[in-house]
Amino acid sequence: QVQLVESGGGLVQPGGSLRLSCTASGISFSGNVMGWYRQAPGKERELVAGISRGGTTTYADSVKGRFTSSRDNAKNTVYLQMNNLKPEDTAVYYCNAKNAYERWRTYWGQGTQVTVSS
């Protein structure tokens, strides 16, 4: 019933840009805090960006100034605009939904691959 579907990943050269999107179904989207996570080979999954129900954002230090998250509650969609991409950004990016009232209830997308290479 619950689905989070990411899209927009791909291969890009250093300095390039990508825009990821995540569309949710089966949940009350506006009732969830959304987040973008990534996991690179050999590394732990890390939080890249978080966005509150009202659109307030937080970012990992490594992406501040380069990544921007936004959401459209009417479209049940959260976005991650990634600019000035670096090879270190290469990872599988995952969309996460966390119920704002019951934060132990979380859902994950299948992930989308982002590869930054020349």
Side-chain angles (χ1 to χ4, degrees):
Q1 184 178 15
V2 177
Q3 276 195 319
L4 274 62
V5 181
E6 303 99 333
S7 63
L11 175 64
V12 65
Q13 293 186 342
S17 298
L18 287 173
R19 185 176 179 85
L20 307 183
S21 64
C22 170
T23 299
S25 60
I27 62 170
S28 178
F29 185 79
S30 62
N32 283 264
V33 177
M34 304 300 296
W36 287 99
Y37 292 74
R38 68 185 181 188
Q39 188 165 25
K43 295 185 177 180
E44 299 292 325
R45 186 173 297 188
E46 64 174 344
L47 177 65
V48 176
I51 184 166
S52 74
R53 293 182 297 163
T56 301
T57 54
T58 58
Y59 301 95
D61 288 342
S62 59
V63 307
K64 285 181 179 177
R66 300 187 298 118
F67 290 12
T68 303
S69 183
S70 61
R71 68 189 292 165
D72 187 336
N73 289 342
K75 296 181 179 180
N76 290 354
T77 301
V78 62
Y79 305 93
L80 185 67
Q81 178 67 46
M82 304 184 294
N83 298 325
N84 192 24
L85 283 160
K86 303 176 180 180
E88 307 93 270
D89 297 318
T90 296
V92 178
Y93 284 71
Y94 298 90
C95 178
N96 172 266
K98 179 170 61 180
N99 189 292
Y101 300 100
E102 300 172 312
R103 296 204 165 201
W104 55 93
R105 296 182 179 180
T106 62
Y107 303 93
W108 294 91
Q110 292 183 320
T112 184
Q113 177 71 48
V114 172
T115 302
V116 185
S117 176
S118 59

